[in-house]
Each structure stands twice: as structure tokens, then as C-alpha cells.
Amino acid sequence: MHPMLNIAVRAARGAGSLIARAFENADKVEVEAKGSNDFVTNVDKDAEQTIIYTIQKSYPKHTIIGEECGIITGEDNDYQWIIDPIDGTTNFVKGIPHFAVSIALKVKGKLDQAVIYDPIRGELFTASRGNGAQFNNARVRVKAHKELAGTILATSFPHKQKASTDAYMGMFKDLFLKAADVRSGSCPSLDLAYVASGRVDGYFQMGTKPWNTAAGELMAIEAGGLVTDFTGGHNHSKSGNIVAASPRLTKEMLTVMRPHLSPAMKL
């Protein structure tokens, strides 16, 4: 295992242990509203600090970008850690056991290492640039579907972008009619990890943030998948609109989605 991936795994497991203990003691979880339909808990903050401490202990000069902490600029900005201590906070708050720790490392602007850890199931997804993706240390690949028929897709509803509901529901309807099923788990990192490991065949979502998707993006790519924005470009980290699947399936998904794109989605 790459040394930096090893540190990321250690950080994810440490945060995951804290999160799993807190999940069993829901009455001690303190919830705050950051914005409309956007929540943070004391556990998010404590888990993030656990991750930051573990990374900085080994790499004190690296930059860290976190959902809660913002940007901690280090002396060596060529190395940027992108972390989400609990991707799926609302699930965590509601007692739904579907959330994950997400940690990615960019080196000179390119995704290089990735960890997604599900602390409830004890499932570890990892990827290193050029060395593939793994689930619990076993190599995984995306399912090489050539068409939507018979596929299972993953998504999450745009609860922070309700003004785009009509466009999203148009995409959802047309994809649903062609696929076998579409499922919503409200945890982008796990959706992407599930694409990489073949548990679902494709994924699309509107309004994601880099800390939700950075680790999963590298996993999907290293597992043989393609990750794009809604137009087939590479603006997903800025637009928040993301599609992931095998190359052939991504192309078909984009074709189905295209008639429903607003002008803003094409930027």
C-alpha cells in the first residue's frame, strides 16, 4: 500500500471508530443547521479533527480542505487532502446506517489516493492512481454494461437545489424508464464506491461538492469507469453535476439526460 494511502486509511478508521460509537449513542449527538436542508453535528467536527490530526502528524506541511474546517493551507500546496468526515450526515442524524468517511489526496492537481470507509459495515474502498481500486483489499472493476436495460442506477435528489427539480425529475424519469431500477442513498461517496465495485451500474447527481466526490471519482476511474459532468465534460468538481459508469453506459446516460439540461447545466 502506498505510504500516503496507508495514512489515509488510518485516519479513516480512526474517524470511523468515533462515528460508530456516536451512532450507538444518538442522544449525545448535537445537531446544527448550516443552511437550508444542510446539517452538521459535533461528531462531524470531532471526526474531522481526528482525520486532520492523523494526516498532520505524518505530513504537517500539506494543505487540507475539509467540509467543516475549510482550507488549512500548508507550506506544500502541491499536496491537498480533501476530506468529508461524514458523507451522509442527514442519514447519520436520522439513524439510517448509510454514511461514510471520505478522504482523497491530490498531488499537483491530480487525484492520487482515495479512501472511502463505511464504519457501520466495516467496508473499506481504496484507490491509488495507476494501481486500480480495491474493496477490502480485493481488486474491483465497474460493470461493463453497454446499455441502460437491466442496469441499477444510483442517485440522490437535489435537496439543496430544489429550483432544478423539474430538470432533475425529467432526467430521473427517462433514465428510470430505460433502467431496471434507480435507487437513492444520499451518500455520494458510497454511490461512487458502489459503481467502482459493481454494486450499482451507474450514478448521476446534481449539486455535489468536491469533498463528497473526490475519493469516489478516483475509485470509479481506477476501476475502469468514466466520470463526467452532465455534458460529458470535466467540470463536475465546479458544477457539482456528476455522472459515473462504464464508458459505454456513461455515453448512453448522457444521451438520455441531454434534453433536460438547462442552459446553466451546460456551462
Side-chain angles (χ1 to χ4, degrees):
M1 184 179 290
H2 189 285
M4 292 183 184
L5 181 61
N6 190 47
I7 293 300
V9 169
R10 187 181 306 169
R13 288 192 184 278
S17 294
L18 184 156
I19 294 164
R21 289 195 300 272
F23 190 68
E24 296 176 356
N25 295 279
D27 56 325
K28 296 181 180 179
V29 176
E30 301 167 9
V31 183
E32 301 174 34
K34 292 193 294 184
S36 178
N37 304 312
D38 195 8
F39 302 98
V40 63
T41 72
N42 58 318
V43 184
D44 290 78
K45 296 175 182 178
D46 290 346
E48 187 174 74
Q49 287 305 309
T50 295
I51 296 168
I52 292 170
Y53 173 80
T54 304
I55 293 171
Q56 290 185 330
K57 188 176 179 181
S58 296
Y59 303 107
K61 296 183 179 181
H62 290 187
T63 291
I64 294 175
I65 302 168
E67 179 177 11
E68 312 308 335
C69 70
I71 301 175
I72 302 173
T73 304
E75 294 178 36
D76 191 346
N77 201 43
D78 283 345
Y79 292 84
Q80 297 182 338
W81 296 85
I82 305 168
I83 61 178
D84 191 343
I86 307 179
D87 183 30
T89 296
T90 301
N91 286 345
F92 173 79
V93 169
K94 293 294 186 181
I96 300 169
H98 191 74
F99 45 82
V101 180
S102 178
I103 303 174
L105 172 65
K106 274 189 173 182
V107 179
K108 296 182 179 181
K110 294 183 178 180
L111 288 167
D112 196 76
Q113 307 294 328
V115 173
I116 295 171
Y117 180 57
D118 180 338
I120 301 304
R121 298 177 181 87
E123 294 185 340
L124 181 71
F125 302 86
T126 59
S128 292
R129 185 159 64 97
N131 286 305
Q134 297 79 34
F135 165 58
N136 287 348
N137 298 317
R139 186 72 178 264
V140 291
R141 298 284 296 177
V142 298
K143 295 292 186 182
H145 285 281
K146 298 178 181 179
E147 57 184 21
L148 279 162
T151 60
I152 302 295
L153 305 181
T155 189
S156 290
F157 295 100
H159 60 282
K160 296 178 187 177
Q161 293 184 304
K162 293 190 175 180
S164 300
T165 297
D166 288 345
Y168 174 83
M169 292 307 294
M171 298 176 200
F172 182 98
K173 177 183 176 181
D174 286 356
L175 288 168
F176 177 69
L177 289 173
K178 288 181 174 290
D181 201 358
V182 181
R183 298 176 180 178
S184 175
S186 297
C187 182
S189 62
L190 284 180
D191 285 338
L192 284 161
Y194 286 6
V195 170
S197 58
R199 288 181 172 178
V200 298
D201 304 305
Y203 164 67
F204 69 102
Q205 187 171 342
M206 188 181 291
T208 64
K209 298 295 184 182
W211 46 80
N212 302 140
T213 60
E217 177 182 348
L218 182 62
M219 286 181 198
I221 291 170
E222 286 296 325
L226 184 63
V227 180
T228 76
D229 59 24
F230 285 179
T231 66
H234 300 286
N235 197 41
H236 47 279
S237 62
K238 291 183 179 180
S239 70
N241 302 328
I242 187 169
V243 178
S246 68
R248 290 280 294 272
L249 186 60
T250 298
K251 184 177 180 180
E252 184 172 354
M253 290 175 67
L254 293 172
T255 299
V256 172
M257 295 164 69
R258 189 173 298 125
H260 304 286
L261 299 184
S262 68
M265 293 176 190
K266 297 178 182 178
L267 297 177

mmCIF file of all heavy atoms in Angstrom, residues 9 23 31 79 82 86 120 139 143 168 170 195 206 217 239 255 260 267:
data_model
loop_
_atom_site.group_PDB
_atom_site.id
_atom_site.type_symbol
_atom_site.label_atom_id
_atom_site.label_comp_id
_atom_site.label_asym_id
_atom_site.label_seq_id
_atom_site.Cartn_x
_atom_site.Cartn_y
_atom_site.Cartn_z
ATOM 1 N N VAL A 9 -5.970 5.614 5.221
ATOM 2 C CA VAL A 9 -6.740 4.506 5.790
ATOM 3 C C VAL A 9 -6.751 4.599 7.318
ATOM 4 O O VAL A 9 -7.788 4.425 7.970
ATOM 5 C CB VAL A 9 -6.168 3.147 5.334
ATOM 6 C CG1 VAL A 9 -6.795 2.003 6.132
ATOM 7 C CG2 VAL A 9 -6.420 2.941 3.849
ATOM 8 N N PHE A 23 -22.897 6.791 16.837
ATOM 9 C CA PHE A 23 -24.130 6.314 16.213
ATOM 10 C C PHE A 23 -24.945 5.467 17.187
ATOM 11 O O PHE A 23 -26.174 5.441 17.119
ATOM 12 C CB PHE A 23 -23.783 5.507 14.961
ATOM 13 C CG PHE A 23 -24.971 5.160 14.108
ATOM 14 C CD1 PHE A 23 -25.660 6.147 13.430
ATOM 15 C CD2 PHE A 23 -25.381 3.842 13.958
ATOM 16 C CE1 PHE A 23 -26.754 5.830 12.624
ATOM 17 C CE2 PHE A 23 -26.464 3.512 13.159
ATOM 18 C CZ PHE A 23 -27.155 4.522 12.485
ATOM 19 N N VAL A 31 -26.915 18.531 16.947
ATOM 20 C CA VAL A 31 -27.156 18.848 15.535
ATOM 21 C C VAL A 31 -27.356 20.350 15.359
ATOM 22 O O VAL A 31 -28.090 20.986 16.124
ATOM 23 C CB VAL A 31 -28.401 18.105 15.010
ATOM 24 C CG1 VAL A 31 -28.600 18.374 13.524
ATOM 25 C CG2 VAL A 31 -28.286 16.613 15.280
ATOM 26 N N TYR A 79 0.368 19.225 -2.329
ATOM 27 C CA TYR A 79 -0.333 18.091 -1.723
ATOM 28 C C TYR A 79 -1.572 18.616 -1.008
ATOM 29 O O TYR A 79 -1.469 19.376 -0.046
ATOM 30 C CB TYR A 79 0.577 17.355 -0.735
ATOM 31 C CG TYR A 79 1.728 16.637 -1.401
ATOM 32 C CD1 TYR A 79 2.905 17.316 -1.712
ATOM 33 C CD2 TYR A 79 1.635 15.288 -1.730
ATOM 34 C CE1 TYR A 79 3.964 16.664 -2.340
ATOM 35 C CE2 TYR A 79 2.684 14.631 -2.353
ATOM 36 C CZ TYR A 79 3.841 15.324 -2.658
ATOM 37 O OH TYR A 79 4.878 14.673 -3.268
ATOM 38 N N ILE A 82 -8.448 16.202 0.668
ATOM 39 C CA ILE A 82 -9.847 16.632 0.575
ATOM 40 C C ILE A 82 -10.678 15.660 1.398
ATOM 41 O O ILE A 82 -10.762 14.471 1.070
ATOM 42 C CB ILE A 82 -10.321 16.644 -0.887
ATOM 43 C CG1 ILE A 82 -9.377 17.518 -1.731
ATOM 44 C CG2 ILE A 82 -11.755 17.151 -0.995
ATOM 45 C CD1 ILE A 82 -9.584 17.380 -3.230
ATOM 46 N N ILE A 86 -18.106 12.911 7.592
ATOM 47 C CA ILE A 86 -19.311 12.076 7.477
ATOM 48 C C ILE A 86 -20.060 12.500 6.218
ATOM 49 O O ILE A 86 -20.773 13.499 6.210
ATOM 50 C CB ILE A 86 -20.260 12.204 8.692
ATOM 51 C CG1 ILE A 86 -19.534 11.959 10.005
ATOM 52 C CG2 ILE A 86 -21.424 11.211 8.537
ATOM 53 C CD1 ILE A 86 -20.437 12.097 11.232
ATOM 54 N N ILE A 120 -20.063 1.486 9.699
ATOM 55 C CA ILE A 120 -21.099 0.589 10.222
ATOM 56 C C ILE A 120 -20.916 -0.821 9.668
ATOM 57 O O ILE A 120 -21.001 -1.812 10.389
ATOM 58 C CB ILE A 120 -22.503 1.130 9.887
ATOM 59 C CG1 ILE A 120 -22.686 2.534 10.493
ATOM 60 C CG2 ILE A 120 -23.574 0.173 10.411
ATOM 61 C CD1 ILE A 120 -22.467 2.618 11.999
ATOM 62 N N ARG A 139 -9.209 -6.458 -5.670
ATOM 63 C CA ARG A 139 -9.371 -5.597 -6.838
ATOM 64 C C ARG A 139 -10.823 -5.597 -7.321
ATOM 65 O O ARG A 139 -11.475 -6.651 -7.333
ATOM 66 C CB ARG A 139 -8.451 -6.108 -7.957
ATOM 67 C CG ARG A 139 -8.400 -5.217 -9.201
ATOM 68 C CD ARG A 139 -7.630 -3.944 -8.943
ATOM 69 N NE ARG A 139 -7.542 -3.115 -10.138
ATOM 70 C CZ ARG A 139 -6.512 -3.119 -10.979
ATOM 71 N NH1 ARG A 139 -5.478 -3.916 -10.757
ATOM 72 N NH2 ARG A 139 -6.502 -2.321 -12.031
ATOM 73 N N LYS A 143 -18.959 -2.526 -13.721
ATOM 74 C CA LYS A 143 -19.664 -3.433 -14.624
ATOM 75 C C LYS A 143 -19.689 -2.830 -16.029
ATOM 76 O O LYS A 143 -20.076 -1.684 -16.218
ATOM 77 C CB LYS A 143 -21.097 -3.666 -14.132
ATOM 78 C CG LYS A 143 -21.186 -4.383 -12.795
ATOM 79 C CD LYS A 143 -20.717 -5.820 -12.881
ATOM 80 C CE LYS A 143 -20.957 -6.556 -11.571
ATOM 81 N NZ LYS A 143 -20.462 -7.936 -11.609
ATOM 82 N N TYR A 168 -34.248 17.868 -13.068
ATOM 83 C CA TYR A 168 -33.764 16.617 -12.476
ATOM 84 C C TYR A 168 -34.783 15.495 -12.645
ATOM 85 O O TYR A 168 -34.433 14.363 -13.011
ATOM 86 C CB TYR A 168 -33.456 16.818 -10.993
ATOM 87 C CG TYR A 168 -33.091 15.529 -10.293
ATOM 88 C CD1 TYR A 168 -31.800 15.026 -10.350
ATOM 89 C CD2 TYR A 168 -34.061 14.789 -9.602
ATOM 90 C CE1 TYR A 168 -31.472 13.823 -9.741
ATOM 91 C CE2 TYR A 168 -33.743 13.591 -8.998
ATOM 92 C CZ TYR A 168 -32.441 13.118 -9.062
ATOM 93 O OH TYR A 168 -32.140 11.920 -8.466
ATOM 94 N N GLY A 170 -37.047 15.186 -14.870
ATOM 95 C CA GLY A 170 -37.101 14.758 -16.263
ATOM 96 C C GLY A 170 -36.017 13.738 -16.568
ATOM 97 O O GLY A 170 -36.271 12.714 -17.219
ATOM 98 N N VAL A 195 -20.336 2.084 -7.617
ATOM 99 C CA VAL A 195 -20.107 1.986 -9.062
ATOM 100 C C VAL A 195 -18.773 1.285 -9.313
ATOM 101 O O VAL A 195 -18.679 0.358 -10.132
ATOM 102 C CB VAL A 195 -20.104 3.389 -9.721
ATOM 103 C CG1 VAL A 195 -19.611 3.295 -11.167
ATOM 104 C CG2 VAL A 195 -21.494 4.004 -9.704
ATOM 105 N N MET A 206 -26.909 15.843 -8.904
ATOM 106 C CA MET A 206 -26.810 17.280 -9.084
ATOM 107 C C MET A 206 -26.387 17.913 -7.747
ATOM 108 O O MET A 206 -26.825 17.481 -6.684
ATOM 109 C CB MET A 206 -28.205 17.787 -9.500
ATOM 110 C CG MET A 206 -28.300 19.233 -9.921
ATOM 111 S SD MET A 206 -30.048 19.603 -10.328
ATOM 112 C CE MET A 206 -30.262 18.654 -11.822
ATOM 113 N N GLU A 217 -14.483 9.587 -7.159
ATOM 114 C CA GLU A 217 -14.123 9.801 -8.566
ATOM 115 C C GLU A 217 -12.882 8.988 -8.925
ATOM 116 O O GLU A 217 -12.861 8.293 -9.958
ATOM 117 C CB GLU A 217 -13.859 11.284 -8.822
ATOM 118 C CG GLU A 217 -13.406 11.572 -10.232
ATOM 119 C CD GLU A 217 -13.083 13.039 -10.484
ATOM 120 O OE1 GLU A 217 -13.418 13.891 -9.628
ATOM 121 O OE2 GLU A 217 -12.490 13.332 -11.538
ATOM 122 N N SER A 239 -19.239 22.394 -11.142
ATOM 123 C CA SER A 239 -20.692 22.462 -11.324
ATOM 124 C C SER A 239 -21.439 21.651 -10.275
ATOM 125 O O SER A 239 -22.584 21.952 -9.931
ATOM 126 C CB SER A 239 -21.081 21.962 -12.717
ATOM 127 O OG SER A 239 -20.884 20.557 -12.828
ATOM 128 N N THR A 255 -26.807 10.812 -23.136
ATOM 129 C CA THR A 255 -27.734 10.999 -24.260
ATOM 130 C C THR A 255 -29.166 11.129 -23.767
ATOM 131 O O THR A 255 -29.931 11.979 -24.242
ATOM 132 C CB THR A 255 -27.618 9.819 -25.252
ATOM 133 O OG1 THR A 255 -26.287 9.773 -25.779
ATOM 134 C CG2 THR A 255 -28.612 9.967 -26.390
ATOM 135 N N HIS A 260 -32.971 17.406 -21.100
ATOM 136 C CA HIS A 260 -33.470 18.055 -19.891
ATOM 137 C C HIS A 260 -32.507 19.068 -19.284
ATOM 138 O O HIS A 260 -32.799 19.661 -18.250
ATOM 139 C CB HIS A 260 -33.789 16.980 -18.846
ATOM 140 C CG HIS A 260 -34.748 15.947 -19.325
ATOM 141 N ND1 HIS A 260 -36.099 16.196 -19.463
ATOM 142 C CD2 HIS A 260 -34.559 14.667 -19.746
ATOM 143 C CE1 HIS A 260 -36.693 15.104 -19.935
ATOM 144 N NE2 HIS A 260 -35.791 14.169 -20.105
ATOM 145 N N LEU A 267 -22.847 24.774 -18.760
ATOM 146 C CA LEU A 267 -21.636 25.580 -18.575
ATOM 147 C C LEU A 267 -20.534 24.726 -17.956
ATOM 148 O O LEU A 267 -20.781 23.823 -17.206
ATOM 149 C CB LEU A 267 -21.946 26.770 -17.672
ATOM 150 C CG LEU A 267 -22.972 27.772 -18.225
ATOM 151 C CD1 LEU A 267 -23.224 28.865 -17.192
ATOM 152 C CD2 LEU A 267 -22.498 28.361 -19.530
#
